[in-house]
Every structure is written in structure tokens, then in C-alpha cells.
């Protein structure tokens, strides 16, 4: 299992899309391709932007299909982060 | 170019100020001001700074400011960023101000640092800080990613005690919304491009639903929604197009619309040409909705908009007799 602590990379306000992209390309995608489950841990992250969450997960959903969500767990998300993840996951699936 | 600082220009009454902007002769800038009083929204200062930064300082003609409130321009860093002399001196230390002077941001990392440093200066409650940080991040990132301008994003903000609100202004002298949107769409006017850019899931980078790996086309829709839920002004001006979300009376219900033209608004497609994009927003702090509740409303509107667009592309069965 790949455990990724978002706070360690993006801080308490996760808004830097370049960092999100790096996490996606260097950590999430290789883990998924290796059939590993991924835990995206938002502990200590107060908030994020929709753009950050989009850059983090949208391309994984698009390329791997909706079933990739069975392999990704979102840990320790507050209500704001949960809502942002819900928005991105919903529009990626609605648009497919 | 000529621009005149009036005695009052806030988002509610900014239209005459913008209509008075003369974009002809782009090789020089003449700045004049009301003699008695200057009280303006931060977006006005961002606009003047953005214009001035396209020129060498010797091509900026700045009239002598007589207004008593002229020190505000110094405090906000207008002359400093334009590298021009002013005869205005601050003789006494200003009270600890809740303001962000004019800043120029070019890169993603600069933006991250700017937000980290900005929030403490405004002395905000955590929930308010989330909203302000969100707005600044999305708007400045739009400039960094889409404007293609060597001068970056010009931003400043101010807290207003009387209205208990934060007002933010961001300007750039980049390619403008129409050129960005028309990479994937075919809008005829700047206003039409603004209308598309404010809709959820519309980005110039692709026509594909869900956007690209880095762009969803949701940033401006989120910002307009924040303003709408808080019943505040929100202005977008690009090219000849101008859109203003009007304040909602407290009695009016809150409904988020995917199409900005269905919101209570004013617009104009014949404004003086602004090469680039200007965004101004007010945020009343006393009525700031909890951010997660706002996101719940956004989610519903966003999903409906995506489903409706998808449905609009469905093939229809052809019936013959």
C-alpha cells in the first residue's frame, strides 16, 4: 500500500497544482500501475483548492477508469476537502 | 493611454471609471486624479499598476495629486511598483493596516509564498482565511497559466472596517479571456467568452468534459459562486467585455446558476479595450458562508451543468412515417 501524506508536500493549504501534478505522476500513477492501493492522507491539511484536487486525481480517473476509485482511499479529510474531492470525482464520472 | 482616478470607484459604481479609460496611444500613460478625494477599490490600483508596468517609467505621466487621501496610493505601493517619484510623503506611521499592497506575481511558488504571507496581514478568522486564500489562489493561477504575460498578475487587497469586508483586485495585461477560450471554442465577442469562462467545466484548454489533467475550467465559476452566496459584487473585464455580478438583497434566495447570465448582473460588450483580464471581488466577512456548505451548493450546480451538457450532445432518434 502506498501512503501519501499531502501535508508534507503541499502544507495546510493545498493549492499548488504543480505539487499536485508531481504527486500524481511520481507517486499515485506508479503505485496504481503496480496494482498497489493508494492512501491519500489529508491529515493536517485545512483546505485545498478544486484545482489542486483536480490536478491530483482527475487524470488518474480519466485514464484508469472509474474503477480506479476502488484502489484509492482518502484519509483524514475534513468537510471542505471531502466536498472538493466529491466535486472532482462526480464531474469526472459524469463527463465520461 | 489615459486613466483618471475619480473620487469614488468601487465595484458598485466602477463602470464610469472603466468607461473613462482611454486605451489609445499605448506607448504612454497619463494618470490624473480627482483633486479633492480619492477613494477606490483595490482593483483600480491593480489596473493602473498593470498598465504602468507595460511601459518604461519615463513614458508615465503622473499628474500632481492634490487629494487629501493621496497617501493611500503611496501606502498601497502604486508609485513604488511603477518606479516613479511622487511628492507624497507619509509623515506619520499609519495605523496597523489590514491591507495587501500591490504585488506582482509570476510563478506558482511565488503565489504559494504570497498566500502564506498575506493571510496573517489581514487578521482573518480561519474560515474567512480559507475563502480569501481560495479566491487569490484560483485567480492568480489563472493569470500564471493562461494569460501569457511577461508582467504576471498584479494584485492588491484591502480590509474595510465600515463594511467589514475584504476587497480584492487582480489585473493582467495578457492575452485576455477570449483568446484563451477560443483555443477550444469559437466565441465572437469578449462578453460571450466571459460568459463561457464563468461556466463550470468550460476551459480554453479543451472541449472535453472534465478538462485536461491540469485544468477543469472551474476556477471562475467557484469564485462567482462564492460572491453569489455571500451576496457580494464580482466583476470580470476583458477585451471589450464587462460582466458584473450584482449584490443580492438579503431577502432574495440564493441560487447558484451555471450560466452567469441567469444571475442578477449587468454587462457591457462595448467597453474600452483592455488587453488582458481584470477581476474584482468583494467579500463581506460578517456573512461569509461556511466554506464546506458553499461547496455542497457548488457540487449540485456543477453536476447538473455537466449532465445537461452531456444530454445536449445525445443523438436524437430520427422518426419517419
Amino acid at each position: 500500500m502506498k501512503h501519501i501524506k499531502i501535508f508534507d508536500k503541499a502544507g495546510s493549504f493545498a493549492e499548488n497544482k504543480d505539487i499536485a501534478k508531481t504527486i500524481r505522476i511520481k507517486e499515485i500513477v506508479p503505485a496504481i500501475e503496480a496494482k498497489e492501493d493508494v492512501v491519500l492522507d489529508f491529515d493536517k491539511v485545512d483546505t485545498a483548492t478544486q484545482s489542486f484536487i483536480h490536478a491530483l486525481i482527475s487524470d488518474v480517473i480519466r485514464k484508469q477508469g472509474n474503477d480506479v476509485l476502488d484502489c484509492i482511499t482518502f484519509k483524514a479529510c475534513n468537510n471542505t476537502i471531502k466536498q472538493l474531492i466529491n466535486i472532482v470525482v462526480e464531474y469526472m464520472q459524469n463527463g465520461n | 493611454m489615459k486613466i483618471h482616478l475619480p473620487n469614488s470607484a468601487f465595484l458598485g459604481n466602477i463602470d464610469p471609471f472603466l468607461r473613462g479609460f482611454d486605451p489609445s496611444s499605448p506607448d504612454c500613460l497619463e494618470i490624473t486624479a480627482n483633486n479633492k478625494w480619492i477613494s477606490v477599490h483595490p482593483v483600480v490600483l491593480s489596473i493602473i499598476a498593470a498598465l504602468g508596468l507595460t511601459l518604461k517609467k519615463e513614458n508615465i505621466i503622473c499628474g500632481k495629486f492634490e487629494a487629501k487621501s493621496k497617501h493611500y496610493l503611496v501606502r498601497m505601493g502604486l508609485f513604488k511598483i511603477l518606479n516613479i517619484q511622487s511628492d507624497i510623503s507619509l509623515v506619520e506611521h499609519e495605523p496597523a493596516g489590514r491591507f495587501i499592497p500591490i504585488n506582482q506575481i509570476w510563478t506558482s511558488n511565488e503565489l504559494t509564498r504570497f498566500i502564506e504571507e498575506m493571510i496573517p496581514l489581514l487578521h482573518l478568522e480561519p474560515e474567512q482565511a480559507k475563502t480569501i486564500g481560495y479566491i487569490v489562489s484560483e485567480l492568480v493561477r489563472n493569470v500564471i497559466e493562461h494569460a501569457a504575460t511577461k508582467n504576471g498578475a498584479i494584485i492588491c487587497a484591502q480590509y474595510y472596517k465600515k463594511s467589514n469586508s475584504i476587497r480584492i483586485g487582480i489585473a493582467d495585461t495578457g492575452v485576455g479571456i477570449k483568446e484563451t477560450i477560443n483555443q477550444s471554442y469559437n466565441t465572437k465577442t469578449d462578453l460571450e467568452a466571459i460568459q463561457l469562462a464563468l461556466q463550470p467545466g468550460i476551459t480554453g484548454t479543451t472541449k472535453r468534459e472534465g478538462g485536461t489533467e491540469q485544468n477543469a475550467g472551474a476556477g471562475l465559476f467557484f469564485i462567482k459562486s462564492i460572491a453569489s452566496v455571500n451576496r457580494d459584487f464580482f466583476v470580470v473585464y476583458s477585451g471589450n467585455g464587462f460582466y458584473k455580478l450584482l449584490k443580492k438583497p438579503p431577502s432574495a434566495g440564493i441560487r447558484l446558476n451555471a450560466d452567469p447570465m441567469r444571475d442578477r448582473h449587468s454587462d457591457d460588450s462595448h467597453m474600452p479595450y483592455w488587453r488582458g483580464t481584470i477581476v474584482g471581488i468583494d467579500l463581506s466577512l460578517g456573512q461569509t458562508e461556511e466554506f464546506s456548505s458553499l461547496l455542497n451548493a457548488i457540487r449540485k450546480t456543477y453536476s447538473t451543468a455537466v449532465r445537461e451538457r452531456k444530454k445536449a450532445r445525445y443523438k436524437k432518434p430520427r422518426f419517419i412515417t
Side-chain angles (χ1 to χ4, degrees):
Chain A
M1 180 177 293
K2 179 78 177 173
H3 192 138
I4 302 167
K5 292 188 174 180
I6 304 298
F7 176 84
D8 292 350
K9 299 161 198 304
S12 62
F13 179 26
E15 58 82 37
N16 191 325
K17 290 162 73 174
D18 296 340
I19 292 173
K21 181 181 179 181
T22 303
I23 297 171
R24 185 186 78 235
I25 291 173
K26 295 201 169 164
E27 303 197 50
I28 301 175
V29 171
I32 297 286
E33 286 176 353
K35 310 284 182 204
E36 269 188 277
D37 283 347
V38 173
V39 176
L40 296 175
D41 187 344
F42 285 84
D43 187 34
K44 293 194 274 185
V45 179
D46 290 332
T47 191
T49 59
Q50 168 271 333
S51 295
F52 179 90
I53 302 294
H54 180 90
L56 190 69
I57 59 172
S58 70
D59 202 47
V60 181
I61 298 171
R62 172 171 285 130
K63 288 186 175 151
Q64 306 284 338
N66 300 344
D67 289 345
V68 77
L69 291 165
D70 295 335
C71 311
I72 302 175
T73 311
F74 301 93
K75 186 181 175 187
C77 301
N78 63 27
N79 281 342
T80 299
I81 310 275
K82 276 183 190 167
Q83 288 285 11
L84 288 165
I85 292 168
N86 277 330
I87 289 169
V88 174
V89 165
E90 259 185 46
Y91 69 60
M92 288 312 296
Q93 294 187 91
N94 283 341
N96 284 341
Chain B
M1 298 182 285
K2 288 180 186 169
I3 199 152
H4 179 74
L5 282 160
N7 67 333
S8 170
F10 290 88
L11 296 187
N13 66 346
I14 201 166
D15 314 34
F17 161 72
L18 296 175
R19 286 200 186 94
F21 165 53
D22 176 1
S24 63
S25 307
D27 296 335
C28 67
L29 173 65
E30 187 181 339
I31 307 168
T32 54
N34 183 282
N35 281 335
K36 293 192 173 152
W37 192 258
I38 306 163
S39 185
V40 294
H41 192 282
V43 77
V44 172
L45 303 184
S46 294
I47 287 170
I48 295 172
L51 281 178
L53 286 167
T54 62
L55 302 168
K56 290 179 181 167
K57 67 174 181 177
E58 53 268 32
N59 293 330
I60 302 172
I61 304 159
C62 196
K64 188 172 166 61
F65 291 163
E66 304 286 352
K68 285 179 187 168
S69 48
K70 60 193 177 185
H71 61 273
Y72 174 68
L73 307 178
V74 179
R75 196 174 64 161
M76 292 299 281
L78 181 64
F79 303 106
K80 188 177 168 193
I81 201 161
L82 296 181
N83 197 22
I84 55 176
Q85 292 286 328
S86 86
D87 58 346
I88 309 164
S89 56
L90 289 177
V91 289
E92 61 182 275
H93 184 65
E94 291 292 317
R98 291 169 65 172
F99 66 94
I100 306 297
I102 301 168
N103 272 265
Q104 196 173 10
I105 303 172
W106 289 271
T107 68
S108 180
N109 289 337
E110 282 174 357
L111 171 59
T112 299
R113 271 199 307 278
F114 174 76
I115 293 171
E116 283 168 6
E117 291 165 8
M118 175 194 86
I119 297 296
L121 287 176
L122 292 170
H123 310 295
L124 298 166
E125 298 293 324
E127 203 60 30
Q128 296 163 347
K130 271 186 194 178
T131 310
I132 301 288
Y134 194 101
I135 290 169
V136 169
S137 172
E138 293 286 28
L139 290 178
V140 175
R141 257 175 223 291
N142 270 353
V143 178
I144 294 169
E145 291 176 10
H146 304 300
T149 167
K150 63 176 184 170
N151 286 324
I154 315 302
I155 179 169
C156 62
Q158 167 89 44
Y159 170 75
Y160 291 81
K161 193 176 176 183
K162 193 174 169 188
S163 56
N164 189 27
S165 62
I166 299 271
R167 295 170 183 169
I168 304 169
I170 296 177
D172 73 69
T173 47
V175 297
I177 292 177
K178 187 176 158 199
E179 185 168 326
T180 304
I181 282 289
N182 279 1
Q183 289 167 19
S184 300
Y185 294 85
N186 184 27
T187 59
K188 299 284 189 292
T189 67
D190 290 297
L191 185 59
E192 198 186 328
I194 291 171
Q195 181 184 359
L196 270 187
L198 286 169
Q199 295 187 36
I202 302 284
T203 168
T205 53
T206 181
K207 249 187 161 167
R208 188 171 55 177
E209 210 59 74
T212 64
E213 60 181 64
Q214 284 297 91
N215 281 289
L220 281 174
F221 169 68
F222 270 62
I223 309 298
K224 183 192 72 110
S225 298
I226 290 169
S228 185
V229 166
N230 287 309
R231 304 170 190 278
D232 285 316
F233 284 117
F234 169 64
V235 161
V236 184
Y237 176 24
S238 183
N240 300 112
F242 172 82
Y243 175 90
K244 175 158 65 177
L245 181 76
L246 298 172
K247 274 176 99 82
K248 287 192 184 78
S251 56
I254 294 295
R255 178 191 158 87
L256 295 183
N257 292 306
D259 182 351
M261 297 306 174
R262 293 179 64 183
D263 288 306
R264 186 168 175 263
H265 78 284
S266 66
D267 62 59
D268 192 329
S269 54
H270 298 95
M271 295 294 261
Y273 189 79
W274 177 270
R275 185 181 159 75
T277 304
I278 292 162
V279 177
I281 185 167
D282 293 349
L283 196 74
S284 305
L285 300 179
Q287 55 198 35
T288 310
E289 278 281 325
E290 193 183 331
F291 200 52
S292 57
S293 329
L294 165 68
L295 291 174
N296 196 32
I298 288 177
R299 187 180 126 207
K300 288 174 188 163
T301 310
Y302 203 129
S303 282
T304 306
V306 172
R307 277 199 302 272
E308 283 177 359
R309 275 204 298 269
K310 192 176 175 186
K311 201 172 168 186
R313 290 194 297 268
Y314 285 173
K315 296 271 186 196
K316 299 279 190 302
R318 287 185 301 160
F319 299 104
I320 55 172
T321 53

